[in-house]
Amino acid sequence: MVSLTLLSTALMGLLVLATFVAAARIGGQRAPGTDESEDRYTAITRRLAEVVRTPAVWSIAFVVIALGVGALVVLSVGNFAFVEGFADSLLGVLYAVVGLLLTGFVFLGAYFGVRGRGLGNAHGVAAGSFAAGLVFLVLIAVQLLVGVIG
């Protein structure tokens, strides 16, 4: 139980640190007269947006994730000598990956649903965070009632 508490504390600390870094980066004042197109941040985000909008990237990512989850399942439940010692750890990693994928799906679904209705980024992030929080709340309730984790 202590290790879960420490892990939760470390993850929350990293989240707070990432939030402060992102806020400092976004809220930084730009010098007057500078060209936006020459900013490194703008160039990187533009290039990442082009890559993300490519259907081939989504297809490749889906295949890689599906194969990775399948490989983790086979390794964790199969009778392989080289993974016998940490098969339970692989199963835990598998649960974490699937949980993060589902939570990310819920977050992005709420985010793009709000953005598609004409609201801003902050509203989308708020709706996505609320939806992801509900997923975690349901997980905690199921854990307390049934005990699905550990």
Side-chain angles (χ1 to χ4, degrees):
M1 188 58 127
V2 173
S3 63
L4 287 177
T5 304
L6 291 175
L7 178 65
S8 172
T9 303
L11 288 176
M12 286 299 139
L14 288 174
L15 179 65
V16 168
L17 182 65
T19 302
F20 279 118
V21 168
R25 180 78 177 149
I26 292 170
Q29 298 294 329
R30 290 183 171 76
T34 59
D35 189 12
E36 281 288 324
S37 64
E38 305 224 357
D39 187 18
R40 197 172 108 200
Y41 177 76
T42 305
I44 290 172
T45 54
R46 186 177 347 106
R47 179 66 184 138
L48 285 175
E50 291 172 3
V51 169
V52 167
R53 288 189 181 104
T54 307
V57 171
W58 285 99
S59 301
I60 291 170
F62 174 77
V63 169
V64 166
I65 290 170
L67 289 175
V69 168
L72 280 175
V73 167
V74 169
L75 286 174
S76 63
V77 299
N79 191 12
F80 300 104
F82 64 96
V83 294
E84 208 170 281
F86 57 95
D88 290 336
S89 299
L90 283 177
L91 198 57
V93 168
L94 177 70
Y95 289 149
V97 166
V98 170
L100 286 174
L101 285 173
L102 288 174
T103 304
F105 176 75
V106 168
F107 177 86
L108 289 175
Y111 174 80
F112 287 119
V114 168
R115 292 283 296 158
R117 287 172 175 74
L119 296 174
N121 284 335
H123 295 99
V125 170
S129 298
F130 182 74
L134 286 178
V135 168
F136 288 125
L137 186 64
V138 167
L139 177 67
I140 289 169
V142 169
Q143 171 64 25
L144 288 173
L145 292 174
V146 182
V148 293
I149 300 172

